[in-house]
Amino acid sequence: WRVQHSAGLGTADALKSCASIIKPKSGKDCFLNASQCAANGESIENLLQALSPLLSESERATIAAGWNGGRTEVLIDAVVSQRELWWNARSRIRSSMLLPAATLLIASFVAPLPAFIHSGDMLAYFISAASPILIAFILWKLAIALIFCKQNSPIADMAERIVLSFPIMRQIEQNRVTSEFASALSNLI
């Protein structure tokens, strides 16, 4: 969007062009709705509201401030660089989780092995081996569901209270929120 906007393409056409290269239908629909808002001459706030499933509130405020201040490209770049920073951090965290996941998988099959050698019961061995993996999978799916549930819902509030009750997680979340706030504030200034 920034590249096409800086090249002089109209907002509606730029957003429609962006929609044509996005694979997920939900993202494509967001950009098409935003393009329609631009074509109808609606305000930048309404246009960005159409992109709300894709952009956080602070990102929308940053882009709106850039739009209203005549510095659209610079602030869209700031939003993109912030997203790239968070993407890289998440990638490093995910790659760091490969070793613990592999350890869990191997330990799930190795730990019940002595009992299997002693008893020879193959069904008990597979149940003993699969249960930690199944529990980890269920917890992972639950965590994903809680992370992506609607903000300000009772489930999201409960999940946030549970996560913030752990001292390390509380520190990480406080640092993340402070960083996001400072980044949004610096972009708006």
Side-chain angles (χ1 to χ4, degrees):
W1 180 22
R2 185 203 59 79
V3 169
Q4 292 176 353
H5 178 75
S6 64
L9 196 61
T11 304
D13 293 333
L15 291 167
K16 191 178 288 186
S17 177
C18 291
S20 68
I21 61 171
I22 294 177
K23 298 281 187 247
K25 183 169 175 19
S26 58
K28 185 181 296 255
D29 291 343
C30 288
F31 272 93
L32 289 174
N33 291 339
S35 173
Q36 189 62 40
C37 288
N40 293 340
E42 295 182 29
S43 69
I44 188 65
E45 289 78 12
N46 290 344
L47 184 147
L48 291 171
Q49 189 60 37
L51 295 172
S52 64
L54 305 175
L55 297 171
S56 70
E57 189 173 344
S58 65
E59 291 171 333
R60 292 192 311 269
T62 301
I63 294 171
W67 187 274
N68 293 330
R71 295 176 42 93
T72 308
E73 293 87 9
V74 173
L75 289 175
I76 289 177
D77 275 344
V79 168
V80 169
S81 66
Q82 180 68 26
R83 283 191 164 215
E84 287 173 346
L85 177 73
W86 284 109
W87 175 259
N88 290 334
R90 286 186 191 108
S91 296
R92 285 196 312 267
I93 290 169
R94 271 190 236 115
S95 66
S96 297
M97 293 303 293
L98 285 177
L99 181 60
T103 303
L104 173 68
L105 184 66
I106 292 169
S108 296
F109 287 99
V110 172
L113 200 53
F116 169 66
I117 293 171
H118 184 323
S119 69
D121 187 4
M122 185 66 94
L123 181 62
Y125 171 71
F126 279 122
I127 290 173
S128 296
S131 59
I133 297 169
L134 181 64
I135 290 169
F137 179 76
I138 290 170
L139 290 174
W140 175 65
K141 284 298 199 178
L142 182 63
I144 295 296
L146 290 175
I147 288 169
F148 291 110
C149 68
K150 290 185 176 180
Q151 296 294 331
N152 299 327
S153 70
I155 295 173
D157 292 342
M158 179 189 67
E160 190 171 320
R161 277 194 303 277
I162 291 170
V163 168
L164 293 179
S165 67
F166 299 110
I168 294 174
M169 294 304 292
R170 182 174 52 241
Q171 270 183 319
I172 291 171
E173 185 63 14
Q174 285 173 342
N175 290 338
R176 187 194 68 78
V177 168
T178 303
S179 170
E180 188 173 336
F181 171 76
S183 174
L185 184 63
S186 70
N187 287 335
L188 290 171
I189 288 172

